[in-house]
Amino acid sequence: MKITQLTVYPVKSLQGIDVTQSEIHAHGLAWDRRWMLVDSHQRFVTQRQLPALATVSVALTPDSLVLSHPAVEPISISLEEPQGNLRLVSVWGDHCKALPESEVVSEWLEAALGEQAKGISLVRFATTFTRAVEEDFLAGGEAHTYFSDGYPFLITTTGSLDALNQALVETGHTPVPMNRFRPNIVVECDDAWEEDRWATLAAEGYQLTLRKPCQRCKITTVDQRTGTIPTQAEPLKTLLALNTQPHLKGAHFGQNATLAAGDGSVIRVGDVVSATPREA
C-alpha cells in the first residue's frame, strides 16, 4: 500500500491544501488546524453552521497564510504570532488558549461571505497550551492536537471511497470526491473498510496508531468547491445504510489516529506503508 494524498487544513473548515510532503508531529501535519474561526462568544464556527466557508481557499507562503475568495482581493496574514492578550475559545467540549488575529481579517471575511459572517473572527492556537486528546481510546497513552475535531490525524482509503460511491450510484445518486471527508492521509487500498481493521500504519521514519472510527456529520453533504449542498443527507444516508460500524451509532468513514513514533519526520505522497491488524 502507499500514500496517495496528503492534505493540510491550516484554518479549520476552510479549504485544504494538497501537499506532496509534510513534517509530521504529535499534534498533526505541519500547520494543520493551527487557526480557527470563532463567533462573538468565542465558540468555534465551521461549515456545519456556515457551508460557504468551503469557498475560501487557503495557501501558505514562507512567511504568510493567504486567504482567497472570488468576491474580494486575497488577504495575507503573517506567520509570526500576533501580539495581544490570549483568548479562551471553545471547540466541542474543550477550552483552548488562542491568539486573536487582526480585526482586518474579520472585515475581510464579512466582505467575502456577506452578512452571515458578521461577528466572526480568526484565532491562532497558542502553542504554549496543550489540548489533550480524549483518553477513552488511547489505551493509557497520551496525545494532543490543535483545533481538529478531536484527533491529530484522519486516515481514509481509496477502497472505502470506491465502495461508498458504488452504493451511491446504485441508489441513483452522484459519486462524491474524497474531499467531502477532509482527510489528512489517504492510503491506496483495494479492500473497502480495511482501515477499520488496522491497529497501526507505518512507513520508514514514522508510525501512526489508529484509535477510533470517525463519525461523520453534515459537512460531508457540502460540496467543497461551491459551499452548497447538492443532495440533502447524502452521502450520510448511504453511509448509514452501509452500517460499516454495526456496534456504533451514526455514519462512519475513516479512522482517527495519533502519532506513535517519528515526531519531526517527513511524510510523503508515495510512501509505502504497512499495517498491523487489530486484535480480534
Side-chain angles (χ1 to χ4, degrees):
M1 300 185 298
K2 66 180 181 180
I3 293 174
T4 58
Q5 181 181 322
L6 293 171
T7 308
V8 177
Y9 306 88
V11 184
K12 185 178 182 69
S13 239
L14 300 190
Q15 289 183 16
I17 305 171
D18 291 334
V19 297
T20 57
Q21 65 179 51
S22 173
E23 285 189 3
I24 189 168
H25 298 283
H27 58 72
L29 299 182
W31 296 105
D32 192 61
R33 271 82 171 199
R34 184 71 188 276
W35 287 267
M36 182 174 73
L37 299 170
V38 296
D39 63 17
S40 59
H41 300 286
Q42 308 308 311
R43 297 176 299 205
F44 74 124
V45 176
T46 71
Q47 291 179 35
R48 297 171 184 86
Q49 300 89 11
L50 195 55
L53 293 178
T55 63
V56 180
S57 61
V58 180
L60 285 169
T61 71
D63 56 7
S64 298
L65 170 76
V66 182
L67 306 183
S68 302
H69 189 275
V72 289
E73 291 296 314
I75 185 171
S76 295
I77 301 155
S78 174
L79 295 185
E80 290 188 14
E81 291 198 350
Q83 300 299 311
N85 295 325
L86 288 171
R87 289 187 191 177
L88 200 62
V89 300
S90 63
V91 50
W92 295 113
D94 294 335
H95 294 280
C96 305
K97 292 180 181 179
L99 293 160
E101 300 290 356
S102 167
E103 281 296 319
V104 173
V105 182
S106 300
E107 294 166 3
W108 184 91
L109 288 165
E110 187 175 350
L113 301 176
E115 187 72 17
Q116 60 187 339
K118 190 175 182 62
I120 290 176
S121 58
L122 183 68
V123 298
R124 183 186 314 213
F125 194 92
T127 54
T128 54
F129 172 79
T130 300
R131 180 185 172 214
V133 171
E134 60 181 350
E135 297 178 353
D136 298 12
F137 298 89
L138 298 183
E142 295 181 350
H144 66 280
T145 186
Y146 286 168
F147 286 136
S148 68
D149 271 357
Y151 286 79
F153 304 96
L154 176 61
I155 299 171
T156 61
T157 65
T158 55
S160 295
L161 183 66
D162 290 344
L164 170 60
N165 280 334
Q166 181 179 342
L168 284 167
V169 170
E170 287 173 354
T171 52
H173 297 293
T174 303
V176 295
M178 189 66 87
N179 66 8
R180 289 288 187 95
F181 302 98
R182 300 176 67 83
N184 297 113
I185 301 168
V186 180
V187 178
E188 184 179 65
C189 176
D190 292 336
D191 297 327
W193 323 117
E194 187 68 18
E195 66 274 22
D196 296 336
R197 293 180 280 275
W198 296 342
T200 66
L201 189 70
E204 185 176 354
Y206 57 87
Q207 178 176 299
L208 295 149
T209 301
L210 284 72
R211 298 292 188 178
K212 179 185 179 184
C214 185
Q215 185 172 355
R216 310 314 307 218
C217 69
K218 65 180 183 180
I219 288 179
T220 61
T221 69
V222 178
D223 185 311
Q224 293 298 303
R225 294 178 302 104
T226 65
T228 60
I229 300 175
T231 307
Q232 290 292 333
E234 290 294 357
L236 280 177
K237 186 176 179 181
T238 297
L239 269 177
L240 278 168
L242 288 170
N243 196 26
T244 62
Q245 297 287 341
H247 59 296
L248 297 175
K249 293 181 179 180
H252 296 81
F253 188 94
Q255 285 279 334
N256 292 298
T258 59
L259 188 65
D263 196 323
S265 297
V266 176
I267 183 172
R268 296 178 173 85
V269 171
D271 279 355
V272 175
V273 292
S274 58
T276 59
R278 294 183 186 274
E279 294 181 2

